[in-house]
Amino acid sequence: MTDSVAPVSPPRAFVSLIGAGPGDPGLITVRGVEALRRADVVLFDYLANPDLLRHCPEAETIYVGKKGFSEYISQEQISDLIVRKALEDGGKRVARLKGGDVFVFGRGGEEAEACALAGIAFEVVPGVTSAIAAPAYAGIPVTHREAARSFAVLTGNTKEGGAHYERLSGVDTLVLLMGVRNLDQISADLIQAGRAPETPAATVQWGTTPQQRVATGTLATIARAVREAGLEAPAVTVVGEVARLRGTLRWFDVGPGFGGPLAGRSVAVTRTRDGASALTDLLRARGASVLEVPLIRFAGTGHEAELHARLCDLSGVAWLLLTSNQAASALFTHLERLGLDARHLAGVRVAAVGPSTARSLAERGVRADFVPSTPGAVHLGAELPGGPGDVALHLTSQVAEDDLEHELESRGLRYERAELYRTEPARPGEHEMNRLRAADVVTLASGSAARHLAALAGTDFAVAAMGPQTADAARRAGFTRVTVAAAPTLEALADAAERAVAGEAGVGREG
Ligand code: SAH
């Protein structure tokens, strides 16, 4: 008999400490995205762009944000939570998403220590720090052959003041993090420690995002410039000759259209079925901060035995009808459970409701035999090749609408339905609900999205609806500020969102 010595952490327990980058969601690393995709649980904070959570739609997400100086939850509690989540249920993969880089003033070292102490395997995925990226997006290189050969990153929170700054006297560029509030004191201390009052300086708020704002001046004037411009945390201040280079190297925050028409606005994109990423991308390109809100979630069928019996014997079935990506994916989950694969479908024809579902099938090795010319259940029912007596088996959820059935039966085909999966109302976390409530406009792509949104969060929103039917459904659900897209396209829906935030929505001005 051997005694077990230390507690052994479950084999799956693993923590990734990930640098999320400074704000632009494109500035996370490839390794960081991979770690997010694998995560069971994601802990993220105020500076990590929540848009990054799109890489881990299935994971449990926990907001552990700290805003400014007031701590939301303490560092010890965060470290404990990371360890606890990693050890939960036989071990989980935890992703800890931290703004900028993990180890630049992020207290990432303490979180790594907590993992090491608990015997949990971990990795560190460095990120692009705001200390370099925010100046870069303001057109300021932290080093430059002519102007600066060294730089230091320091925190403006320090109580040390003067003595500390004297030690930095040989460093060309200083980058101050967490220093907006104390900027008066800090610049006075720096001058006191020997830096020339006329040294160029710039402060960059929300660097790398459409909300980026910059104030410029000299060491003597920067605090006042920041106050006058109303800049607040999060911001970095660059002090040194390089700050002058913004005059020639400014590139990101230029032009009247900088940031796009939706800059600084937040749009919630609701989805009742599959991903809405194309719309999200469009809105982001216009500068919006986008929150994707799934209104329903998928669950297993409540009638598995019946479903399996039906799937095992498909004799007599002329068509399998699949009307969502989820259906395509659930079909293959069940075939796998039955020990079957795509070959089982050899004797039956398969129809998809539209190109997206067809693509999901193709990814699983099945080319759809039929896709209607216009996506939609009605078109599928009207155009499906076949005649009286042909059996069409619709594999779908418990809430499938009856259009398809009516169309097919009016043509004499025999419609059968099997419950392949269920949909349930989503239960967003508190942080997501708060972001949703703060949205300037919510997009609705269907009547059911309108009804789900009303049930989940009420009707006190400006909404942009995909078309007149969706708009009617939204009004019936109780929404009063409704803007309708001019055409049933994502571009038009994004235009409608823009009009809605511009305040053009309302009675008599729709359309
Ligand atoms: N680990 C982070 C820094 C965390 S300390 C990093 O590497 O970037 C928090 C401070 O970072 C903020 O007070 C602010 O000074 C700075 N910061 C983070 N994101 C920023 C951004 N997008 N723009 C400007 N400053 C930012």
Side-chain angles (χ1 to χ4, degrees):
M1 286 272 282
T2 52
D3 283 336
S4 57
V5 190
V8 180
S9 83
R12 194 177 154 73
F14 189 77
V15 174
S16 301
L17 299 170
I18 308 168
D24 177 342
L27 291 178
I28 186 172
T29 64
V30 173
R31 175 72 45 93
V33 169
E34 282 168 359
L36 274 183
R37 286 212 184 105
R38 283 194 304 262
D40 303 310
V41 185
V42 179
L43 285 81
F44 65 107
D45 55 37
Y46 162 65
L47 288 171
N49 190 333
D51 291 348
L52 292 171
L53 300 180
R54 71 199 295 205
H55 297 299
C56 47
E58 315 263 286
E60 177 191 0
T61 53
I62 305 175
Y63 179 64
V64 292
K66 295 188 211 165
K67 191 168 178 172
F69 299 102
S70 67
E71 300 210 344
Y72 188 77
I73 80 175
S74 75
Q75 185 57 47
E76 290 66 36
Q77 285 173 313
I78 295 175
S79 297
D80 284 352
L81 191 58
I82 293 173
V83 168
R84 192 148 46 78
K85 282 289 170 187
L87 297 177
E88 210 170 77
D89 299 343
K92 286 188 172 166
R93 287 187 162 270
V94 176
R96 167 68 168 117
L97 198 54
K98 301 175 72 66
D101 178 70
V102 177
F103 287 159
V104 176
F105 298 130
R107 302 189 69 174
E110 286 157 70
E111 293 172 12
E113 273 165 2
C115 295
L117 269 174
I120 297 167
F122 67 93
E123 68 177 348
V124 178
V125 184
V128 175
T129 177
S130 66
I132 294 173
Y137 271 54
I140 302 170
V142 292
T143 71
H144 190 68
R145 215 168 94 88
E146 311 281 298
R149 298 162 62 85
S150 61
F151 68 95
V153 179
L154 44 152
T155 158
N157 262 343
T158 180
K159 297 266 146 47
E160 287 182 55
H164 180 56
Y165 297 143
E166 272 160 35
R167 283 201 298 281
L168 291 168
S169 61
V171 179
D172 296 326
T173 305
L174 300 182
V175 185
L176 272 164
L177 270 58
M178 300 176 283
V180 231
R181 286 205 189 166
N182 304 332
L183 204 49
D184 274 307
Q185 185 62 47
I186 295 167
S187 29
D189 287 348
L190 283 168
I191 292 169
Q192 176 77 36
R195 256 177 222 257
E198 58 276 12
T199 313
T203 297
V204 188
Q205 179 186 20
W206 282 122
T208 81
T209 75
Q211 290 89 337
Q212 175 171 310
R213 292 180 62 206
V214 181
T216 53
T218 64
L219 192 49
T221 64
I222 189 69
R224 198 180 59 218
V226 163
R227 227 180 357 261
E228 280 170 7
L231 303 193
E232 291 171 358
V236 305
T237 297
V238 192
V239 178
E241 283 305 316
V242 289
R244 210 190 288 284
L245 290 166
R246 174 169 165 83
T248 34
L249 299 184
R250 183 172 176 182
W251 62 276
F252 175 65
D253 51 357
V254 281
F258 157 68
L262 287 169
R265 301 308 197 123
S266 88
V267 181
V269 171
T270 58
R271 50 196 173 84
T272 47
R273 274 196 232 154
D274 311 306
S277 313
L279 178 59
T280 299
D281 289 344
L282 267 177
L283 291 163
R284 286 210 177 109
R286 298 178 185 208
S289 144
V290 182
L291 170 68
E292 286 188 357
V293 189
L295 294 172
I296 60 172
R297 58 189 200 121
F298 301 117
T301 173
H303 303 278
E304 186 162 277
E306 283 162 68
L307 173 71
H308 284 188
R310 194 69 193 92
L311 285 179
C312 280
D313 179 12
L314 291 171
S315 56
V317 175
W319 284 102
L320 282 187
L321 310 180
L322 297 169
T323 48
S324 72
N325 291 336
Q326 179 60 22
S329 127
L331 171 60
F332 281 85
T333 305
H334 285 288
L335 288 179
E336 204 179 307
R337 271 184 213 163
L338 290 164
L340 301 169
D341 62 24
R343 289 169 296 179
H344 183 65
L345 307 179
V348 60
R349 282 181 294 171
V350 180
V353 73
S356 167
T357 304
R359 218 171 306 124
S360 292
L361 283 167
E363 280 162 13
R364 293 167 173 88
V366 173
R367 189 188 293 268
D369 297 287
F370 179 73
V371 186
S373 54
T374 310
V378 175
H379 299 281
L380 176 61
E383 296 173 18
L384 187 76
D390 285 353
V391 175
L393 174 59
H394 188 191
L395 298 172
T396 184
S397 76
Q398 86 282 14
V399 290
E401 294 180 15
D402 295 331
D403 307 357
L404 184 52
E405 176 170 9
H406 292 156
E407 285 294 331
L408 289 173
E409 295 203 325
S410 72
R411 296 173 48 210
L413 281 87
R414 277 178 45 211
Y415 174 93
E416 256 188 58
R417 184 182 291 178
E419 186 187 288
L420 184 59
Y421 62 95
R422 297 183 69 81
T423 58
E424 295 174 351
R427 276 176 261 130
E430 196 181 334
H431 177 64
E432 262 188 307
M433 283 303 286
N434 287 339
R435 280 192 79 204
L436 173 60
R437 291 197 190 95
D440 292 303
V441 58
V442 183
T443 65
L444 300 172
S446 67
S448 70
R451 290 187 291 276
H452 278 108
L453 176 65
L456 185 71
T459 54
D460 190 16
F461 293 101
V463 297
M466 185 62 139
Q469 280 177 348
T470 304
D472 282 346
R475 284 191 208 93
R476 278 199 302 276
F479 293 95
T480 52
R481 289 175 288 152
V482 181
T483 306
V484 192
T489 64
L490 296 180
E491 286 281 352
L493 185 54
D495 290 344
E498 245 179 64
R499 279 184 286 130
V501 298
E504 290 179 19
V507 192
R509 300 212 51 186
E510 295 178 358

